[in-house]
Amino acid sequence: MQLDHVTIRTADIDGTRAFFETVFDLTIGERPAAIRNIPGCWLYAEGKPIVHIIGSRGIGFAWAPEAIDHVGFRLEGYAAFRARLDRLAIPYSTMDLADIGERRLFLRAPGGPLLEAVFSEPVPTLPPGE
């Protein structure tokens, strides 16, 4: 397992992007089509998107304007990991990003932090009509 990325929630997308570009020499890059409607950007190092920035309304305690939103771990074996979560009765949600060949599972640690498991696997296609 390796750390895949960190997602930062911020009310200042442009300032946060500029900070990471300037301080860490990251470059802005493409995001999957499925999430382009979410305000934000992905910043790349060595061809990999390692900092994801998303907008925050900054309203109320649950939506702090500046926070680390979640941590992503790159793993192998999507089906086996999903079966493990099912066996352990750990709730999760899925996100398939066919245009970049990734499948993702989102789950929460016991105290509430959001975790993302990222798998470089092709997204299965359904036959027409299904």
Side-chain angles (χ1 to χ4, degrees), residues 4-6 30 42-45 47-52 102 104:
D4 184 74
H5 68 275
V6 62
E30 286 292 315
W42 280 11
L43 298 175
Y44 285 66
K48 305 279 187 201
I50 64 165
V51 176
H52 301 180
E102 289 184 351
R104 296 169 180 226

Side-chain angles (χ1 to χ4, degrees), residues 22-110:
T22 302
V23 175
F24 295 103
D25 291 325
L26 300 180
T27 57
I28 195 164
E30 286 292 315
R31 293 194 299 161
I35 62 169
R36 288 187 194 136
N37 64 325
I38 299 169
C41 60
W42 280 11
L43 298 175
Y44 285 66
E46 299 175 11
K48 305 279 187 201
I50 64 165
V51 176
H52 301 180
I53 299 171
I54 58 176
S56 173
R57 297 183 306 262
I59 301 170
F61 182 77
W63 292 98
E66 308 298 321
I68 294 176
D69 183 77
H70 69 270
V71 176
F73 296 97
R74 184 159 295 275
L75 302 169
E76 295 181 10
Y78 175 86
F81 189 77
R82 189 169 177 178
R84 171 189 266 177
L85 295 177
D86 289 338
R87 188 174 61 254
L88 296 170
I90 296 174
Y92 60 88
S93 63
T94 64
M95 178 185 286
D96 288 340
L97 302 173
D99 52 335
I100 62 171
E102 289 184 351
R103 305 191 78 188
R104 296 169 180 226
L105 298 170
F106 293 88
L107 59 142
R108 292 205 178 268

Side-chain angles (χ1 to χ4, degrees), residues 8 10-23 41 43 53 66:
I8 297 172
T10 181
D12 183 5
I13 294 170
D14 292 335
T16 302
R17 176 191 45 76
F19 173 84
F20 278 94
E21 286 175 324
T22 302
V23 175
C41 60
L43 298 175
I53 299 171
E66 308 298 321

